[in-house]
Each structure stands twice: as structure tokens, then as C-alpha cells.
Amino acid sequence: MESGLGGEIAARLLAFAEQTADLVGVTDPWGRILYLNPAARKRLGFADDAADLTTGDVFPPEAFTLYYDVIRPHLLRTGEWSGEIPVRVAGANAVAMYVSITAERGPGGEINESVMYGHEAAPAEPVRWSDGSDVDEVTGLLHRAAFDRRARLVLSAASRDGEACALVLATVLDASEATGEFHTRIAATVMRALAGRMNRLARTTDVVGRVADDQLSILLRGVRTHNEALRAARTVYESLVDAPVTTPGEEITPSIRCGVGFAAPGDDLLDVLEEASAVRWSEPATGDASSEATGTVSPRIDAPTMEEFRIGMSHGDIRPYARPVVDLASGRLIGYQGLARWQHRRLGLLDAEVFADMIADTPLANQVDLNITREIAAVLTLTTRDTPLRLYAPVSRRLLADVRTEQYLCEIVDAFSLTTNQIGLELPRLLLDNWAVALRDALQSLREAAFPLVLTGLEIAEDVGRFADLGFGEVHLPRSMTSAAERDPDARRIVSEIVRRAHDRAVLVAATGVNDSRQRDVLVEAGCDFATGNLYGEPVPAITID
């Protein structure tokens, strides 16, 4: 009965989509268009067959920054978004449409299929936020009156606790200077993009608001010194000027005047706002910005921060990479090892070792592991081989402790038509050393689901039997052991003993960091089964694998 009713409802919805004059579309996780209704195909100028089209064919370039800075992070958080956005039109300039997007989110927080519904928006007056309003429905920022109320409550609570606060005030100097057919929406697009960037910087104890048509503000609680307040303001400033905002008709590099006020316990909000209005800078983010009232801003440290990581996650800067895993004797490809890389906007491409410890005890660790697993699983599905390839997926302490991990992994297996024994779960030896008792139930559950367990970083032959008893069917030697085995006979004897004990227990052995033929020959002689290393290929972005 339920399936029949569901089929009937689906048929009615499809009939509506086929007949409506509005735009209806469905996209897959990679942005490829799975369905466009007839009205959309006609309005956009596409042929009847929507194959090989992507969302890039629907939204013009000027809409991408709005999607990147506002819509996509909102979809990742809530699964839905509604608002105005430029849409392509056949034989004409883009038009503004009111679009609603609903996304199905996967177990790692990623976006799966999305459904879009849109209709042409009526001409609008410039957006003016009155003091009587509360929250902007797109960015979630408080308006002036609501910001004042919340900020005063935070200042009062901080004062009771003996804490200081910092108020950062950012004035957008050119948001309303754009001209042309979409001048009112250009200004709105700029402000919404910048508001989205500021909102992502906030902690739960902070207050973010739009205090005027061209001003954004954030009140930060728990700031200890004036210099710390200035550093926080610099972080906000550089986030706002980090990238141009592409709007209908032109790309705008925001010109920002940023100010900061330091609120000691007992200070009034109006006094802090006045100070923030007086203490300001507007130099480029790469220059030595200085404050007119309090001196030079302290230089930024080179280590990445948790706030930068959260912003990078929402911007898609944490990217899946893949490294070939080969049969050591023949060199035949047997699978790929999934890796996370952070394309940091200040420090360049960072290996997972740089940020793994920082996120280890947060939900971000789960998201990274599952996203990497999903993306490499997609590679296996799209890669044609005579025999099924394997995926070596990273598993953090946080993911292993999650009782839903088995469910998440099974959903990925089902989504890409794989088998559980194709996904080897890589667990670092140090993780098992520090948490051995609590791991047993989790390992047992994963083992019963037929997910192979892979131990990385094994260096002691006596450990082989212990981990074989825990269900590990494969062990990986660290790069340092590979390097030592090439030049040190004692190290080669240790590798050979590990291999002997492992094979006695039907456990496979892989060597990592095999970078030349000499190392390969030594490890082949020692009896290792698999290998990774530059000799077989460096890690590459997963999307580049054929």
C-alpha cells in the first residue's frame, strides 16, 4: 500500500513538473543535471535531452560566488536554501529568479542529490533592513535592533564573569556603487556574500549582525587584551577581502574599512561602537594594516587554526586525494589509498598530518573521513578494471567511536555498488595503543560487517600476532622502515620477520614510501605483498583519476 501510494504521489509530482511554467531540475552529487522539466529546457535554450549538462550551464559565472559563499554552506548546514539568484536565459542576459533548493545530505554531511525549483522574480526595490526587523532569512544575521539587544546581553554576562569583549565593525565602501540593470541586486549579492563569510567566523558565544545597510559587526566574547582584539579584527578583515564577489554583470573586489572596539567589564555598547568606528584600517589584506588609535596589528602566526579549518570545510578546501596501491612483485594496480589535503588559502597545500590532531576530537574528523571514503569510492565505481579495486579509507578515533560508523560505511558501499571487502579501514597503531579496551566492540562490529581492518605504522614483529587476534588482515610498514631496510641489514631482518609472522597468520604486508627500484627490490626479497610510494605515483586529486 505504501509503495503504491508513494508511486502515485511521485507520478503526480512528475506530471506537475512536466506541465508547470516554472523551472524544475534534479542534480547528482557532482552537479550533473539528471532532470530538467520542459519549461526549464525551453527557457534556458537547451535541447530536449539534458544529458551532459551541469549546474554551470544553468547559473552564469556571476552567480557562482553567491553559491559558493552563501548557498552551499547553507545547504551543508540545513539541507535547503531559498532566495534570488541570476539564471541563464536563451538568447538574453541572465534574469533574477527566486530559487528553492532542497539537498539530500549523506552520512558525512556531504550533499547528494539536489532538487531545484525556480520562478522569475519580480523587480525589487533596494533591500533596506529596518531597526524593527530581526534576522535575515538568507544569511541568518541579526538586524540592528536585534543585534543591539543580543550584544547588550552578552556584554552584561561577560561583565558579571569579569571577561572583556571585542567588537569588530566592517563597513563595505563600494557595495552600493555598482550600476546597471541589476544594481539593486548587485549590492544585495555583495552584502550577502560578505555576511556569509563573517557568519562562518562566529562561535556560539559571539553575536553577528548587520547594523546598517553597508555595515556588518561581530561581538566576540572572552577577549583578554587589546592586541588580541586587534588580531581578531584582522582575521575578520582578511576573511571579508579574501576573494572577489562575482555579481550579475561584474566582479567586485570589496573595499572594506574595518574597526575594532575593546570592551572591558562594565563598558556600554554605544561606547564600544564609537571606538570601533574610530579605530579602523582599509589597506589591502596583504599589506601591513595598522590602527589609527592603537598601533600596529600583531603579525599572524603561520600555524593553521580551527576557525580556518571550519571555513575551509564549508568552502570545499579539504580535498580528497588518492595514492596508488600496487602488488609489489608485479607492479599491478590493486587499489587506491584515500588521503585528505587542505588547500589552505594562506599556507598552500597541507598534508593531513598538519591538521589531523587539531580536529581529532571534533565532529569534523568524522566528516573528513567519510567524505574521503565517499569520493574515492566514486573513483572505484567510475574506473574500469578486470578485477575490482580496493579502497584504503582513513579512520579517525572519533569515527571509530561513533556507533553509526558501520551504517555510514554500508550506505557508501550501497551507493556505489561496491562490496564491504573492497573497503579496507586504516587504523594507526598509536590509536590502538592508547585506546585498546574501548576499541574492541567497534572493531568486532566492523569485522562482522566484513570490512577489512588495516593496521598502519607497524614496526615490531611481536605485534603481528596481537593485532591478527583483533581481526587485522593487513599491516602497513612505515616509510622510515622502508628507508632503513634499503641500507641496514638489521632493518631488513626485522622486515622479513614481520612478513614471516604475518603470512603465518594469513595477514598481508604492505610497505609505504617505496620511492625507487632499490627499495622495491629489497622489499620484494623480504616478501612484502603490496606497496605505495613515488615509484608508483604520488598522491593526486581524486577527480583527476581516469
Side-chain angles (χ1 to χ4, degrees), residues 86 188 545:
I545 296 176

Side-chain angles (χ1 to χ4, degrees), residues 410 413 418-424 449-452:
C410 287
V413 166
L418 303 176
T419 60
T420 55
N421 58 19
Q422 285 181 262
I423 300 184
F451 287 103

Side-chain angles (χ1 to χ4, degrees), residues 370-398:
L370 291 170
N371 285 342
I372 298 303
T373 302
R374 184 180 183 88
E375 292 301 319
I376 308 302
V379 169
L380 299 193
T381 300
L382 298 173
T383 304
T384 303
R385 292 288 188 274
D386 295 334
T387 57
L389 296 177
R390 304 178 189 179
L391 157 62
Y392 291 87
V395 177
S396 63
R397 178 197 304 268
R398 180 88 183 200

Side-chain angles (χ1 to χ4, degrees), residues 181-416:
E181 180 183 358
F182 296 106
H183 61 281
T184 60
R185 294 188 175 92
I186 287 173
T189 297
V190 171
M191 290 304 296
R192 283 174 173 170
L194 298 180
R197 296 178 190 180
M198 181 175 279
N199 209 19
R200 285 192 294 276
L201 290 172
R203 305 162 300 177
T204 57
T205 56
D206 301 333
V207 184
V208 185
R210 184 173 179 178
V211 297
D213 291 328
D214 61 350
Q215 284 188 322
L216 304 170
S217 187
I218 178 171
L219 179 66
L220 305 160
R221 182 172 176 178
V223 176
R224 292 166 294 185
T225 65
H226 283 84
N227 282 338
E228 189 173 332
L230 285 169
R231 287 195 295 271
R234 166 51 79 87
T235 299
V236 173
Y237 175 79
E238 293 189 345
S239 174
L240 296 182
V241 299
D242 180 61
V245 177
T246 305
T247 68
E250 62 181 305
E251 188 173 76
I252 294 176
T253 300
S255 179
I256 308 291
R257 185 176 68 239
C258 199
V260 58
F262 182 78
D267 286 353
D268 183 74
L269 177 63
L270 291 179
D271 294 334
V272 182
L273 277 168
E274 287 182 6
E275 182 185 351
S277 298
V279 181
R280 59 185 181 271
W281 61 82
S282 56
E283 290 80 358
T286 55
D288 294 327
S290 62
S291 161
E292 297 175 4
T294 55
T296 303
V297 176
S298 300
R300 185 169 51 182
I301 60 174
D302 289 335
T305 67
M306 180 64 78
E307 287 301 325
E308 288 178 319
F309 191 88
R310 289 194 180 98
I311 295 171
M313 283 286 289
S314 68
H315 282 58
D317 295 336
I318 315 304
R319 300 174 182 175
Y321 272 59
R323 176 160 49 203
V325 182
V326 303
D327 179 86
L328 187 55
S330 66
R332 175 178 58 86
L333 178 71
I334 65 162
Y336 291 98
Q337 181 186 30
L339 305 167
R341 295 288 185 265
W342 182 2
Q343 187 60 55
H344 196 284
R345 301 187 179 195
R346 174 169 53 89
L347 303 175
L349 191 66
L350 303 179
D351 290 346
E353 289 80 1
V354 176
F355 56 86
D357 289 341
M358 180 176 68
I359 68 170
D361 294 320
T362 74
L364 293 172
N366 291 26
Q367 295 180 34
V368 171
D369 288 348
L370 291 170
N371 285 342
I372 298 303
T373 302
R374 184 180 183 88
E375 292 301 319
I376 308 302
V379 169
L380 299 193
T381 300
L382 298 173
T383 304
T384 303
R385 292 288 188 274
D386 295 334
T387 57
L389 296 177
R390 304 178 189 179
L391 157 62
Y392 291 87
V395 177
S396 63
R397 178 197 304 268
R398 180 88 183 200
L399 182 61
L400 199 59
D402 194 327
V403 296
R404 300 163 295 180
T405 295
E406 181 186 338
Q407 172 192 341
Y408 293 158
L409 293 172
C410 287
E411 288 176 359
I412 293 173
V413 166
D414 292 341
F416 294 98

Side-chain angles (χ1 to χ4, degrees), residues 323 337 476-480 482-483 510-514 523 530-533:
R323 176 160 49 203
Q337 181 186 30
H476 289 188
L477 309 179
R479 291 190 295 269
S480 58
T482 296
S483 177
T512 63
V514 181
L523 294 163
F530 307 137
T532 65

